[in-house]
Amino acid sequence: MSKFYARRRVSILAALSGLIASVALFNAPTASAALPTPVSAATARGYLAQLTVATEDRTGYDRDLFPHWITQSGSCNTREVVLKRDGTDVVQDSSCAAVSGSWYSVYDGATWTAASDLDIDHLVPLAEAWDSGADSWTTSRRQSFANDLTRPQLIAVTDNVNQAKGDQDPAQWMPSRTDYRCTYVRAWVQVKYYYGLSVDSAEKSALTNYLASC
């Protein structure tokens, strides 16, 4: 093969690769949540084995005991930071409110263009944390938990899906998108392990079963 035809072949292959990549991009969701990547399934299984199994106790729970959506920088609070992080082409006004953008909800596969259609889910719900040991925490630690941008604890999702989830654990509720469930349980276990929270027996059984198929 001459050098001319070899170079031409390389150029054609490069063009085809670019076209394929463009098609894939076009067909992809318009946005995808940027939840911090959770630990691997193997690590999550190791963490789960170390979690204390205990009966839940909600005595005294009050959402206000977890100060949330605190200021992160300038005029931006935690909710606004997550909306910016998890969206595509997000435009914020002078008060940091998202006025346009696109958000893909990984729980149900819906795409939204209005921030009002999204809730910021506490992956491990505040009430669930209270039941599992946060009742003994200081207010400062509960605030850190409720605004944690480092662990895979906060994610922008469809508002009514988040409301349907409520304070349920993985034995009671899981995302309808089955291909996200492995990510979800890995994140759940990582958050519980980091904060030293317990699991109840049904919760541990559900997590064990989901992680076994990851």
Side-chain angles (χ1 to χ4, degrees), residues 19 23 25 47 66 71 81 91 94 120 124 127 145 147 149 151 165 168-169 180 190 202 206 211:
L19 178 61
V23 171
L25 180 63
Y47 284 174
F66 292 80
T71 299
V81 170
V91 175
S94 59
I120 307 305
V124 175
F145 177 83
N147 298 275
L149 296 168
R151 263 62 55 181
K165 170 187 171 179
Q168 299 178 90
D169 68 33
Y180 194 73
Q190 180 180 348
L211 285 171

Tab-separated table of all heavy atoms in Angstrom, residues 19 23 25 47 66 71 81 91 94 120 124 127 145 147 149 151 165 168-169 180 190 202 206 211:
chain	number	residue	atom	x	y	z
A	19	LEU	N	-17.383	10.611	13.746
A	19	LEU	CA	-18.816	10.563	13.464
A	19	LEU	C	-19.528	9.661	14.452
A	19	LEU	O	-20.593	10.006	14.982
A	19	LEU	CB	-19.042	10.048	12.033
A	19	LEU	CG	-20.515	9.885	11.601
A	19	LEU	CD1	-21.219	11.236	11.647
A	19	LEU	CD2	-20.586	9.287	10.194
A	23	VAL	N	-22.475	10.710	17.106
A	23	VAL	CA	-23.780	10.059	17.178
A	23	VAL	C	-24.068	9.592	18.594
A	23	VAL	O	-25.164	9.759	19.122
A	23	VAL	CB	-23.852	8.864	16.195
A	23	VAL	CG1	-25.109	8.049	16.421
A	23	VAL	CG2	-23.814	9.381	14.758
A	25	LEU	N	-22.872	10.824	21.318
A	25	LEU	CA	-23.131	11.989	22.149
A	25	LEU	C	-24.536	12.499	21.933
A	25	LEU	O	-25.242	12.868	22.859
A	25	LEU	CB	-22.100	13.081	21.838
A	25	LEU	CG	-22.224	14.395	22.627
A	25	LEU	CD1	-22.016	14.101	24.108
A	25	LEU	CD2	-21.205	15.416	22.134
A	47	TYR	N	-17.214	-2.999	53.771
A	47	TYR	CA	-17.764	-2.010	54.703
A	47	TYR	C	-19.040	-2.531	55.365
A	47	TYR	O	-19.230	-2.380	56.578
A	47	TYR	CB	-18.094	-0.723	53.962
A	47	TYR	CG	-16.917	0.157	53.590
A	47	TYR	CD1	-17.106	1.301	52.805
A	47	TYR	CD2	-15.621	-0.134	54.013
A	47	TYR	CE1	-16.056	2.124	52.460
A	47	TYR	CE2	-14.549	0.681	53.651
A	47	TYR	CZ	-14.777	1.810	52.877
A	47	TYR	OH	-13.739	2.631	52.528
A	66	PHE	N	-31.095	18.865	61.588
A	66	PHE	CA	-30.057	18.715	60.565
A	66	PHE	C	-30.031	20.005	59.733
A	66	PHE	O	-30.705	20.076	58.696
A	66	PHE	CB	-30.360	17.529	59.648
A	66	PHE	CG	-30.265	16.179	60.287
A	66	PHE	CD1	-31.301	15.689	61.069
A	66	PHE	CD2	-29.144	15.378	60.092
A	66	PHE	CE1	-31.232	14.425	61.637
A	66	PHE	CE2	-29.065	14.111	60.669
A	66	PHE	CZ	-30.107	13.633	61.445
A	71	THR	N	-24.857	27.934	53.361
A	71	THR	CA	-24.058	28.653	52.371
A	71	THR	C	-22.733	27.925	52.158
A	71	THR	O	-22.027	27.593	53.113
A	71	THR	CB	-23.789	30.093	52.839
A	71	THR	OG1	-25.036	30.773	52.997
A	71	THR	CG2	-22.941	30.833	51.817
A	81	VAL	N	-25.379	24.507	44.662
A	81	VAL	CA	-24.118	23.893	44.243
A	81	VAL	C	-24.375	22.545	43.577
A	81	VAL	O	-23.796	22.218	42.534
A	81	VAL	CB	-23.162	23.729	45.446
A	81	VAL	CG1	-21.956	22.867	45.069
A	81	VAL	CG2	-22.688	25.095	45.934
A	91	VAL	N	-27.272	27.832	33.996
A	91	VAL	CA	-27.051	29.271	34.141
A	91	VAL	C	-27.670	29.703	35.464
A	91	VAL	O	-28.815	29.365	35.769
A	91	VAL	CB	-27.696	30.056	32.983
A	91	VAL	CG1	-27.559	31.564	33.209
A	91	VAL	CG2	-27.057	29.655	31.650
A	94	SER	N	-27.746	36.254	39.737
A	94	SER	CA	-26.847	36.903	40.688
A	94	SER	C	-26.997	36.375	42.112
A	94	SER	O	-26.087	36.514	42.935
A	94	SER	CB	-27.087	38.417	40.686
A	94	SER	OG	-28.433	38.709	41.020
A	120	ILE	N	-33.055	17.857	45.792
A	120	ILE	CA	-31.734	17.328	46.116
A	120	ILE	C	-31.957	16.227	47.144
A	120	ILE	O	-32.343	16.493	48.279
A	120	ILE	CB	-30.801	18.412	46.669
A	120	ILE	CG1	-30.740	19.609	45.716
A	120	ILE	CG2	-29.404	17.819	46.905
A	120	ILE	CD1	-30.340	19.264	44.298
A	124	VAL	N	-28.786	8.799	51.814
A	124	VAL	CA	-29.194	8.250	53.112
A	124	VAL	C	-30.032	9.339	53.769
A	124	VAL	O	-29.501	10.381	54.160
A	124	VAL	CB	-27.991	7.891	54.002
A	124	VAL	CG1	-28.471	7.448	55.390
A	124	VAL	CG2	-27.159	6.784	53.359
A	127	ALA	N	-33.875	11.267	58.305
A	127	ALA	CA	-34.581	10.474	59.312
A	127	ALA	C	-33.944	9.102	59.475
A	127	ALA	O	-33.845	8.568	60.591
A	127	ALA	CB	-36.055	10.332	58.945
A	145	PHE	N	-23.313	16.248	57.726
A	145	PHE	CA	-23.970	15.132	57.042
A	145	PHE	C	-24.999	15.642	56.043
A	145	PHE	O	-25.084	15.149	54.904
A	145	PHE	CB	-24.657	14.240	58.083
A	145	PHE	CG	-25.436	13.095	57.504
A	145	PHE	CD1	-24.796	11.919	57.152
A	145	PHE	CD2	-26.807	13.192	57.325
A	145	PHE	CE1	-25.512	10.847	56.616
A	145	PHE	CE2	-27.525	12.129	56.791
A	145	PHE	CZ	-26.885	10.960	56.439
A	147	ASN	N	-25.134	18.336	54.423
A	147	ASN	CA	-24.591	19.179	53.351
A	147	ASN	C	-23.317	18.593	52.744
A	147	ASN	O	-22.498	19.322	52.182
A	147	ASN	CB	-24.291	20.578	53.899
A	147	ASN	CG	-25.526	21.287	54.395
A	147	ASN	OD1	-26.254	21.915	53.636
A	147	ASN	ND2	-25.790	21.182	55.700
A	149	LEU	N	-20.843	17.328	50.385
A	149	LEU	CA	-20.584	17.338	48.945
A	149	LEU	C	-19.408	16.439	48.572
A	149	LEU	O	-19.109	16.282	47.388
A	149	LEU	CB	-20.288	18.768	48.480
A	149	LEU	CG	-21.433	19.773	48.616
A	149	LEU	CD1	-20.920	21.192	48.405
A	149	LEU	CD2	-22.539	19.451	47.622
A	151	ARG	N	-18.776	13.028	50.025
A	151	ARG	CA	-19.264	11.666	49.904
A	151	ARG	C	-20.438	11.623	48.901
A	151	ARG	O	-21.048	12.644	48.601
A	151	ARG	CB	-19.737	11.135	51.262
A	151	ARG	CG	-18.746	10.286	52.030
A	151	ARG	CD	-17.494	10.977	52.420
A	151	ARG	NE	-17.735	12.205	53.172
A	151	ARG	CZ	-16.762	13.001	53.607
A	151	ARG	NH1	-15.488	12.713	53.344
A	151	ARG	NH2	-17.039	14.094	54.288
A	165	LYS	N	-39.690	8.280	47.625
A	165	LYS	CA	-38.665	7.567	48.398
A	165	LYS	C	-38.798	7.898	49.882
A	165	LYS	O	-38.726	7.010	50.734
A	165	LYS	CB	-37.272	7.951	47.903
A	165	LYS	CG	-36.148	7.432	48.805
A	165	LYS	CD	-34.791	7.971	48.399
A	165	LYS	CE	-33.720	7.637	49.420
A	165	LYS	NZ	-32.392	8.137	49.044
A	168	GLN	N	-37.209	6.004	53.280
A	168	GLN	CA	-37.096	4.541	53.181
A	168	GLN	C	-35.671	4.089	52.861
A	168	GLN	O	-34.939	4.759	52.131
A	168	GLN	CB	-38.050	4.021	52.105
A	168	GLN	CG	-39.513	4.334	52.401
A	168	GLN	CD	-40.432	3.850	51.301
A	168	GLN	OE1	-40.917	2.720	51.324
A	168	GLN	NE2	-40.682	4.702	50.319
A	169	ASP	N	-35.315	2.928	53.394
A	169	ASP	CA	-33.998	2.363	53.119
A	169	ASP	C	-34.100	1.376	51.953
A	169	ASP	O	-35.194	1.128	51.436
A	169	ASP	CB	-33.405	1.730	54.382
A	169	ASP	CG	-34.156	0.479	54.840
A	169	ASP	OD1	-34.685	-0.269	54.000
A	169	ASP	OD2	-34.206	0.247	56.067
A	180	TYR	N	-29.050	1.499	37.784
A	180	TYR	CA	-28.441	2.445	38.720
A	180	TYR	C	-28.375	1.881	40.137
A	180	TYR	O	-27.755	2.464	41.021
A	180	TYR	CB	-29.217	3.778	38.737
A	180	TYR	CG	-28.443	4.882	39.411
A	180	TYR	CD1	-27.339	5.462	38.788
A	180	TYR	CD2	-28.792	5.323	40.677
A	180	TYR	CE1	-26.599	6.455	39.417
A	180	TYR	CE2	-28.059	6.324	41.311
A	180	TYR	CZ	-26.969	6.887	40.675
A	180	TYR	OH	-26.232	7.863	41.305
A	190	GLN	N	-21.276	3.251	51.614
A	190	GLN	CA	-20.135	4.128	51.864
A	190	GLN	C	-20.495	5.237	52.844
A	190	GLN	O	-19.729	5.535	53.768
A	190	GLN	CB	-19.646	4.754	50.557
A	190	GLN	CG	-18.457	5.693	50.760
A	190	GLN	CD	-17.964	6.312	49.468
A	190	GLN	OE1	-18.343	5.889	48.375
A	190	GLN	NE2	-17.112	7.316	49.567
A	202	ALA	N	-33.239	-6.082	58.033
A	202	ALA	CA	-33.827	-6.131	56.693
A	202	ALA	C	-32.999	-5.302	55.711
A	202	ALA	O	-32.790	-5.696	54.557
A	202	ALA	CB	-35.269	-5.625	56.729
A	206	ALA	N	-31.044	-6.689	52.336
A	206	ALA	CA	-31.281	-6.117	51.012
A	206	ALA	C	-29.970	-5.649	50.394
A	206	ALA	O	-29.685	-5.912	49.211
A	206	ALA	CB	-32.274	-4.972	51.108
A	211	LEU	N	-25.634	-6.053	46.452
A	211	LEU	CA	-24.191	-5.999	46.229
A	211	LEU	C	-23.657	-7.308	45.631
A	211	LEU	O	-22.657	-7.301	44.914
A	211	LEU	CB	-23.462	-5.687	47.530
A	211	LEU	CG	-23.547	-4.235	48.011
A	211	LEU	CD1	-22.984	-4.111	49.415
A	211	LEU	CD2	-22.808	-3.302	47.059
